[in-house]
Amino acid sequence: MEYLSLPVQAALWGFVAGGALLLGAAMGYFLNLSKMVSSSIMAFGIGVLISALAFNLMDEAFKTAGSIAATVGFVFGATLYGLANAFLSRSGAAGRKQSSAVTAGAAASIAIAIGSLLDGIPESAAIGISLLDGEGVAFVTLLAIFISNVPEGLSSSVGMKAAGKSASYVFSIWGSIAVTCSVSALLGYLIIGQLGPFYIGAAIACAAGAIFVMLIDTMIPEAFDDIHALSGPIAAAGFLFAFVASHAF
């Protein structure tokens, strides 16, 4: 994608990350995956995301603007996401990362979709912001977000199908969210890129804080609930994979 302008790259990479929701939706609608497979994907994604947070997002925030901006951004992102996530969880989105679950009808499935949108906005913005250094997209961050998005689309589409919703209904919803992720990545690049280093660093850390709370609130407990003791070693494999990849690319 080097021959494309950076704003176009931001939009395309954001859509790639959001496209994982479409992939998950297709898997949930047309396949019947076992708990072991779907939860293993989630656990691996947890490890990749933890590595991306520690060695990519927060490290980049600190290098860009120092510890104060990184701290302020992280706390703001964690607090904002935590409050929004608590509200959505009461509406039926608490299990949106639980890829093996059949949700309780269309209403809960829509709540899961809204929760996925809540996850996708800061994640995609982080992808767009990663292009500001002119060295291309942060591959490990992109990979981590892509892997973590699959269970969300999978979980909701299973519930929507069980509620009798058509394929066109399901994929129109997830397609719209994927497009929103693309726009979020573009705006992350265009808007944050016009601000000073403090705000750029704080924005990167804000995305990190939001993703961190998402991991603790949703992915970790739900991966453990399905595969128990296996979740730790699989997550460790994801972490090691991302750590090696972050030094190789």
Side-chain angles (χ1 to χ4, degrees), residues 5-15 124-125 127-129 131 179-193:
S5 67
L6 289 177
V8 173
Q9 288 186 46
L12 288 175
W13 285 124
F15 187 78
S124 301
I127 291 172
I129 294 169
L131 290 164
V179 170
T180 302
C181 290
S182 177
V183 173
S184 179
L186 175 62
L187 294 179
Y189 176 82
L190 292 177
I191 295 177
I192 304 301

Side-chain angles (χ1 to χ4, degrees), residues 4 9 23 28 31 41 52 57-59 63 69 74 79 91 97 119 121 140 145 172 174 176 179 209:
L4 298 175
Q9 288 186 46
L23 174 62
L31 301 178
I41 293 172
L57 294 178
M58 286 304 292
D59 189 55
K63 290 179 180 177
F74 188 89
T79 302
S91 302
K97 293 286 188 182
D119 298 339
I121 289 175
V140 174
I145 293 170
S172 64
W174 290 105
S176 298
V179 170

Side-chain angles (χ1 to χ4, degrees), residues 1 7 19 22-23 25 59 65 72 76 101 111 125 128 130 132-133 139 158 161 168-169 175 198 212 243:
M1 289 190 182
L22 280 170
L23 174 62
D59 189 55
V72 169
F76 180 77
S130 75
L132 290 173
D133 60 10
F139 172 75
V158 168
K161 182 179 180 180
S168 60
Y169 175 89
F198 180 91
F212 184 86
F243 176 78

Side-chain angles (χ1 to χ4, degrees), residues 3 5 25 48 53 83 88 105 121 130 148 150-151 168 170 176 191 193 201 211 222 227 232 244:
Y3 57 89
S5 67
V48 175
L53 288 174
L83 292 173
L88 283 170
I121 289 175
S130 75
S148 71
V150 172
S168 60
V170 172
S176 298
I191 295 177
I211 295 170
E222 287 162 7
I227 56 177
V244 172

Side-chain angles (χ1 to χ4, degrees), residues 13-193:
W13 285 124
F15 187 78
V16 168
L21 295 167
L22 280 170
L23 174 62
M27 293 168 65
Y29 200 87
F30 297 114
L31 301 178
N32 185 24
L33 296 180
S34 68
K35 287 185 177 182
M36 177 65 71
V37 172
S38 57
S39 296
S40 294
I41 293 172
M42 189 192 306
F44 190 84
I46 289 169
V48 175
L49 272 174
I50 292 173
S51 180
L53 288 174
F55 300 109
N56 293 89
L57 294 178
M58 286 304 292
D59 189 55
E60 182 65 24
F62 176 78
K63 290 179 180 177
T64 300
S67 59
I68 294 178
T71 300
V72 169
F74 188 89
V75 170
F76 180 77
T79 302
L80 185 64
Y81 183 95
L83 292 173
N85 188 57
F87 173 78
L88 283 170
S89 293
R90 295 190 184 97
S91 302
R96 63 183 177 273
K97 293 286 188 182
Q98 194 168 355
S99 54
S100 61
V102 177
T103 59
S109 298
I110 292 298
I112 290 174
I114 296 173
S116 298
L117 182 63
L118 174 69
D119 298 339
I121 289 175
E123 291 172 348
S124 301
I127 291 172
I129 294 169
S130 75
L131 290 164
L132 290 173
D133 60 10
E135 297 181 2
V137 71
F139 172 75
V140 174
T141 301
L142 175 66
L143 178 64
I145 293 170
F146 186 94
I147 293 173
S148 71
N149 277 346
V150 172
E152 296 188 52
L154 201 160
S155 175
S156 184
S157 67
V158 168
M160 290 179 184
K161 182 179 180 180
K165 298 300 182 181
S166 66
S168 60
Y169 175 89
V170 172
F171 292 108
S172 64
I173 288 178
W174 290 105
S176 298
I177 294 176
V179 170
T180 302
C181 290
S182 177
V183 173
S184 179
L186 175 62
L187 294 179
Y189 176 82
L190 292 177
I191 295 177
I192 304 301

